[in-house]
Amino acid sequence: MPTLVVTEVVYLLGTRLGTHAELRFIADLASGAFDVEPVHPTDWLRIADLVNRYRSLPLGTVDASVIACAERLGVDEVATVDRRHFTIVKTHRALTLLP
């Protein structure tokens, strides 16, 4: 998971499911349940390209970081609750959206 996603996830968990869910996610991060991937310098260029190209969605930096990271790592599966953006964006390789 790109590091930019962490902030969005804890915000959504805290505001929609409450502090308990947010704390469980933080505990999962601390235990190593998720690999948190830093944004690499080349990712920023791809993120900017995607945000610019899909500004009418708007795609946004966080979703674009997921795509840039997946492309760099050769990952085909992406977990998202925002399927709309990920089905519209043309990526370097086809993505399978989970769940």
Side-chain angles (χ1 to χ4, degrees):
M1 138 183 6
T3 190
L4 298 179
V5 171
V6 173
T7 303
E8 189 168 90
V9 170
V10 294
Y11 170 77
L12 290 172
L13 288 172
T15 58
R16 295 182 182 184
L17 299 176
T19 304
H20 181 69
E22 182 179 356
L23 289 170
R24 283 189 11 221
F25 179 69
I26 293 169
D28 286 344
L29 289 171
S31 74
F34 299 101
D35 291 328
V36 179
E37 183 69 23
V39 180
H40 287 224
T42 56
D43 292 343
W44 290 115
L45 296 173
R46 179 64 172 147
I47 290 166
D49 174 56
L50 290 165
V51 169
N52 181 50
R53 185 175 302 165
Y54 295 97
R55 69 177 65 157
S56 64
L57 285 178
L59 179 62
T61 300
V62 174
D63 287 350
S65 76
V66 172
I67 294 167
C69 183
E71 289 176 342
R72 178 172 46 78
L73 296 175
V75 173
D76 297 11
E77 296 180 332
V78 171
T80 181
V81 294
D82 188 4
R83 300 178 75 81
R84 189 186 88 150
H85 288 167
F86 289 95
T87 58
I88 294 171
V89 174
K90 302 293 184 223
T91 58
H92 294 187
R93 55 190 305 152
L95 297 176
T96 301
L97 304 179
L98 305 172

